[in-house]
Amino acid sequence: MYEPIKGTDDHQWHDKKDIESALQISRPSLPPDKERLVSLDVFRGLTVALMILVDDVGGIFPAINHSPWDGVTIADFVMPFFLFIVGVSLAFAYKNLSCRFTATRKALFRSLKLLLLGLFLQGGFIHGLNNLTYGVDVDKIRLMGILQRIAIAYLVAALCEIWLKGNHNVSSELSMIKKYRFHWVVAFVITTIYLYLLYGLYVPNWEYQISTEDQGSTFLNLKVKCGVRGDTGPGCNAVGMIDRKLLGIQHLYRKPVYARTKQCSINYPNNGPLPPDAPSWCQAPFDPEGLLSSLMATVTCLVGLHYGHIIIHFKDHKKRLNQWILRSFCLLMLGLALDLFGMHLNKPLYTLSYMCVTAGASGFLLSAIYLMVDVYGYKRASLVFEWMGIHALTIYVLIACNLVFLIIHGFYWKKPINNLLHLIGIGK
């Protein structure tokens, strides 16, 4: 039997109904008799640390870099972890609603703010280390990105929580499912639409242009031959086609992960020169946070929302953990079974199997951290991760998006190359 730790029920949560509550930009003051669910902060901080590790070391150690296409590595769990955590947090942010219309207006406004922040950080306005220029041609700005995906998932989950939950009390697992049954309807509809579009849409041949550096401003037209349905390879999938049609190919990410595949790099699994027989799609833009894949990513957020509901409605540690572990096991087994039968784990496409495996892993990790931190009280060992979790978005903006390094780089001696970052080996 688990020994309860004082103050770990749902009354610990403050009702801060906004995206800052979900992403924990700051930690507001709480009454003395209330505490946070520390395990969620630790989980968020651990994910931030993993993100920084992957960004800084992934290029050196391919085993922790993003998978070039099918399959998953440790880096491919970062985005689902964040989406899952946002979902769990929203269960508390919208637990007590005074006005649904006001909550909806605020959710829309906060999603818009997150979208605009994503455009600024990942749209091409900032040109990266060793480049003191800034600005972006709006005709070529990248429209999607990490924060944009989180904003979409947050909005869908928030609207579900505001408008689609029942009013009756929860006294059992069955009554909880009944209370939130329309959430599961939304998740089922989203999944059905995603599968229909991914496997049902016809992908015709398409073309794109690349600039030829050796010939100045001239462009080379490359044609990708497709004419297929249901293809999940890099060149002819419906995810990329939808982004090219709706967003425009000039607004997509120009350094796709499949450039490291064996077909596209002689240094596989690292980036490298093209092989002589490289497919024509190897240099084509592709957004790993595209529209259709982001639609499927919202299901991860809805799964996290369900895990948050378990905390709200069940006070006993053992019952919470049992329900989390059972659901996590089912998700993991379903995802592995789908992968075994041909629906491969794939982050760029955000396949159903990938969603199930990463959501299941999120549930297992949350359970382990909750058991260690909130049940047995081992909080001192996790203080650093807790702090990082409380300031997750700030750390992402300043560190993961290189904003701090860009500011430091702006101060140099006589020549831009003579800066502190270059001296310690950053950005070489």
Side-chain angles (χ1 to χ4, degrees):
M1 188 68 167
Y2 301 104
E3 292 295 329
I5 299 299
K6 183 179 179 181
T8 55
D9 290 333
D10 64 294
H11 69 270
Q12 295 170 312
W13 283 81
H14 55 89
D15 296 320
K16 186 175 181 182
K17 302 182 180 86
D18 54 19
I19 191 65
E20 287 84 358
S21 174
L23 297 177
Q24 298 303 326
I25 297 176
S26 60
R27 185 178 189 173
S29 300
L30 296 175
D33 60 335
K34 292 188 178 182
E35 300 176 9
R36 303 174 67 88
L37 190 70
V38 179
S39 55
L40 197 61
D41 285 330
V42 173
F43 188 7
R44 189 185 294 107
L46 183 64
T47 305
V48 171
L50 179 60
M51 174 184 63
I52 295 173
L53 175 68
V54 167
D55 288 345
D56 293 342
V57 186
I60 303 174
F61 301 103
I64 64 172
N65 201 355
H66 289 289
S67 174
W69 196 247
D70 288 334
V72 292
T73 66
I74 189 172
D76 297 316
F77 287 88
V78 173
M79 170 62 78
F81 282 174
F82 275 125
L83 293 169
F84 181 89
I85 292 167
V86 169
V88 176
S89 301
L90 282 174
F92 303 96
Y94 291 103
K95 185 177 69 172
N96 298 316
L97 286 174
S98 57
C99 178
R100 289 182 175 181
F101 292 101
T102 301
T104 300
R105 177 176 55 82
K106 289 182 178 180
L108 288 167
F109 181 64
R110 287 152 191 155
S111 296
L112 179 61
K113 288 195 295 185
L114 203 59
L115 281 167
L116 294 176
L117 180 60
L119 279 175
F120 170 73
L121 293 173
Q122 293 190 299
F125 183 83
I126 300 172
H127 294 174
L129 295 178
N130 293 325
N131 195 330
L132 297 182
T133 63
Y134 63 90
V136 62
D137 182 352
V138 293
D139 190 49
K140 299 178 181 179
I141 189 172
R142 183 188 175 194
L143 296 177
M144 297 297 291
I146 294 171
L147 293 182
Q148 293 93 314
R149 169 170 284 181
I150 293 176
I152 293 170
Y154 162 80
L155 181 61
V156 172
L159 292 178
C160 286
E161 190 67 1
I162 293 168
W163 292 99
L164 298 181
K165 63 181 177 182
N167 296 320
H168 57 279
N169 294 326
V170 173
S171 57
S172 64
E173 296 180 34
L174 185 61
S175 60
M176 185 181 70
I177 293 174
K178 185 178 180 181
K179 182 180 178 71
Y180 299 106
R181 61 189 182 277
F182 291 113
H183 290 194
W184 295 111
V185 171
V186 171
F188 177 78
V189 170
I190 289 174
T191 302
T192 303
I193 292 172
Y194 169 85
L195 293 175
Y196 174 78
L197 295 177
L198 179 65
Y199 293 104
L201 281 184
Y202 176 78
V203 181
N205 299 339
W206 55 282
E207 296 181 356
Y208 69 99
Q209 289 184 333
I210 60 171
S211 60
T212 53
E213 297 179 358
D214 56 336
Q215 298 182 22
S217 60
T218 60
F219 294 90
L220 176 66
N221 287 320
L222 295 176
K223 184 175 182 179
V224 181
K225 295 183 179 180
C226 293
V228 295
R229 297 180 191 272
D231 189 274
T232 57
C236 298
N237 60 78
V239 172
M241 184 193 72
I242 290 175
D243 289 338
R244 292 191 297 271
K245 294 290 185 181
L246 298 183
L247 300 178
I249 195 169
Q250 72 276 17
H251 295 295
L252 305 184
Y253 187 54
R254 295 177 180 83
K255 298 178 181 178
V257 67
Y258 56 64
R260 295 190 289 108
T261 59
K262 188 175 295 186
Q263 301 102 304
C264 299
S265 173
I266 61 174
N267 295 334
Y268 166 82
N270 297 313
N271 286 303
L274 291 170
D277 57 345
S280 57
W281 45 259
C282 281
Q283 301 175 79
F286 179 88
D287 210 307
E289 283 84 36
L291 293 173
L292 185 58
S293 55
S294 292
L295 182 68
M296 191 64 197
T298 61
V299 179
T300 299
C301 198
L302 291 172
V303 172
L305 185 61
H306 177 64
Y307 278 64
H309 292 153
I310 292 173
I311 301 177
I312 288 177
H313 296 295
F314 299 97
K315 312 305 181 183
D316 182 67
H317 292 308
K318 186 175 182 180
K319 183 166 287 188
R320 288 174 177 175
L321 286 166
N322 286 342
Q323 292 199 44
W324 283 346
I325 292 171
L326 175 61
R327 285 158 175 76
S328 301
F329 178 79
C330 292
L331 283 167
L332 190 62
M333 291 300 102
L334 176 59
L336 294 176
L338 290 172
D339 180 66
L340 183 64
F341 287 102
M343 187 182 291
H344 299 301
L345 301 172
N346 188 292
K347 178 189 177 293
L349 302 181
Y350 217 103
T351 54
L352 177 58
S353 59
Y354 171 78
M355 188 281 296
C356 290
V357 166
T358 54
S362 301
F364 276 123
L365 187 54
L366 175 62
S367 301
I369 297 173
Y370 178 82
L371 181 64
M372 180 185 74
V373 175
D374 285 307
V375 177
Y376 290 127
Y378 297 119
K379 298 180 181 180
R380 185 171 298 178
S382 60
L383 284 176
V384 173
F385 290 131
E386 182 186 353
W387 181 87
M388 293 178 70
I390 293 169
H391 304 91
L393 187 58
T394 303
I395 294 173
Y396 171 78
V397 171
L398 295 179
I399 306 298
C401 294
N402 291 325
L403 207 56
V404 167
F405 302 122
L406 289 169
I407 294 172
I408 296 173
H409 189 193
F411 297 91
Y412 56 88
W413 176 254
K414 293 185 178 180
K415 296 180 181 180
I417 196 172
N418 299 326
N419 62 80
L420 180 61
L421 294 179
H422 188 82
L423 181 64
I424 62 178
I426 299 178
K428 286 186 177 182

